Amino acid sequence: MTQPHLRIVDNPHDRAAVRRKDEAWLEERWADPRTRVLVVAGTRVQPRDGALDWVSPAEAPEGVRVLLGERDEAAWFAVVTGVELAQAGGDWAGLRDLLTPLAEGSLEGGPLLLHAIGLAEWLFVTRFCPRCGGGLVPRASGHELACTQCGRAQFPRTDPAVIMIVAAGEPGADDERCLLGRQAVWPEGRFSTLAGFCEPGETLEDAVRREVAEETGISVGDVEYFGNQPWPLPASLMLGFVGRATSTDIEVDRDEIEEARWFTRAELRAEAESGRVRLPQGVSISRSLIEHWYGGPLPGHW
């Protein structure tokens, strides 16, 4: 059974990367009436009647033409325009607004949408060459930016971030506990797994240990890989882990984390049922990590 956090990437497309610089093929597919195009204004799209609004190439506005790939014997593109199009009116939505319907299956095309928005986010913020400050022009169907002065190429970024459920005690025992935390900006009662970005020269496992220690003062020993989730908000790949604590005394940093608590399975269930603790939605790998440790579904969500 597909984990809830992976439903947003069900039915991936062939990215057709070898075709990104094949101008003859690109023009041929752009002229094909079966080709579908998603218009992205800045980093927002315009759903219609509960579905993504895929238009024909003839209906698409001017903008950066991005090849997403092929699926169902058709080519799929995005056209990335300026934010002015969305500002002119209409109901435009950001990716975060669409994650829940993607996870619930009421909105199709998750992999194509994540691909399009991820590139649009990168194109939106990458304006100048980091080496010489020169202007950038798109190449390779929007998957590369070239400096007009020094010629250096820039490529889309994906930042690895670790996200972890930390457990203490004998695995599976009644008194085994998991560690959850909450940020100060969150509403009262909202708890989640800990997370943070991997630093240069650091293994993912060491990033788990460092982040947990920095945020809660807990030491972690064994770290086991769980799974991953694309999270282009704006450019992350969430890498999930299960860690085993070697200490249990909590000392939160009061910077990123305001409160952290240990929960037994019985405590977590009771708190979630009462609404005193609210857990992340199923769209997030955080929920999958929590329910993986718990051993089944839990009630309630943000």
Side-chain angles (χ1 to χ4, degrees), residues 105-187:
S106 59
L107 186 70
E108 297 182 353
L112 288 162
L113 177 63
L114 266 62
H115 189 176
I117 296 296
L119 281 173
E121 290 272 9
W122 173 66
L123 292 168
F124 184 71
V125 300
T126 310
R127 304 296 180 90
F128 301 99
C129 175
R131 170 176 284 182
C132 73
L136 300 170
V137 293
R139 298 194 306 205
S141 299
H143 291 75
E144 183 179 326
L145 289 170
C147 179
T148 57
Q149 292 186 26
C150 71
R152 183 178 177 87
Q154 303 296 319
F155 299 92
R157 289 190 52 134
T158 296
D159 300 321
V162 293
I163 184 167
M164 45 278 181
I165 186 80
V166 176
E170 185 67 24
D174 289 343
D175 61 352
E176 184 189 18
R177 297 175 290 169
C178 78
L179 179 69
L180 301 178
R182 63 181 309 277
Q183 298 181 20
V185 296
W186 291 353

Side-chain angles (χ1 to χ4, degrees), residues 59 92-93 131 268:
E59 298 172 294
W92 294 82
R131 170 176 284 182
L268 187 58

Side-chain angles (χ1 to χ4, degrees), residues 65-285:
R65 192 183 300 179
V66 174
L67 173 65
L68 301 177
E70 294 184 292
R71 198 180 74 182
D72 302 329
E73 300 183 353
W76 300 72
F77 288 81
V79 167
V80 181
T81 74
V83 296
E84 299 80 12
L85 185 61
Q87 292 171 344
D91 296 323
W92 294 82
L95 180 57
R96 194 176 293 276
D97 302 318
L98 303 175
L99 288 174
T100 296
L102 283 172
E104 293 174 346
S106 59
L107 186 70
E108 297 182 353
L112 288 162
L113 177 63
L114 266 62
H115 189 176
I117 296 296
L119 281 173
E121 290 272 9
W122 173 66
L123 292 168
F124 184 71
V125 300
T126 310
R127 304 296 180 90
F128 301 99
C129 175
R131 170 176 284 182
C132 73
L136 300 170
V137 293
R139 298 194 306 205
S141 299
H143 291 75
E144 183 179 326
L145 289 170
C147 179
T148 57
Q149 292 186 26
C150 71
R152 183 178 177 87
Q154 303 296 319
F155 299 92
R157 289 190 52 134
T158 296
D159 300 321
V162 293
I163 184 167
M164 45 278 181
I165 186 80
V166 176
E170 185 67 24
D174 289 343
D175 61 352
E176 184 189 18
R177 297 175 290 169
C178 78
L179 179 69
L180 301 178
R182 63 181 309 277
Q183 298 181 20
V185 296
W186 291 353
E188 190 68 28
R190 179 181 291 187
F191 279 82
S192 185
T193 51
L194 305 180
F197 287 101
C198 185
E199 295 187 347
E202 185 176 48
T203 68
L204 296 169
E205 292 82 0
D206 282 342
V208 169
R209 298 182 182 103
R210 175 183 53 77
E211 286 287 346
V212 175
E214 287 176 356
E215 295 181 353
T216 66
I218 300 296
S219 298
V220 172
D222 291 341
V223 175
E224 181 181 350
Y225 177 70
F226 171 79
N228 67 86
Q229 179 184 41
W231 197 253
L233 295 161
S236 297
L237 175 66
M238 305 303 295
L239 298 144
F241 292 88
V242 178
R244 302 299 308 184
T246 58
S247 69
T248 56
D249 290 338
I250 295 172
E251 186 176 348
V252 294
D253 62 1
R254 298 292 177 182
D255 180 17
E256 295 186 55
I257 300 297
E258 180 185 61
E259 180 185 3
R261 290 173 55 188
W262 290 106
F263 295 87
T264 66
R265 289 178 176 83
E267 289 168 344
L268 187 58
R269 177 83 190 188
E271 295 282 284
E273 285 181 338
S274 70
R276 291 189 298 271
V277 165
R278 284 174 290 154
L279 302 173
Q281 296 187 56
V283 68
S284 167
I285 191 173

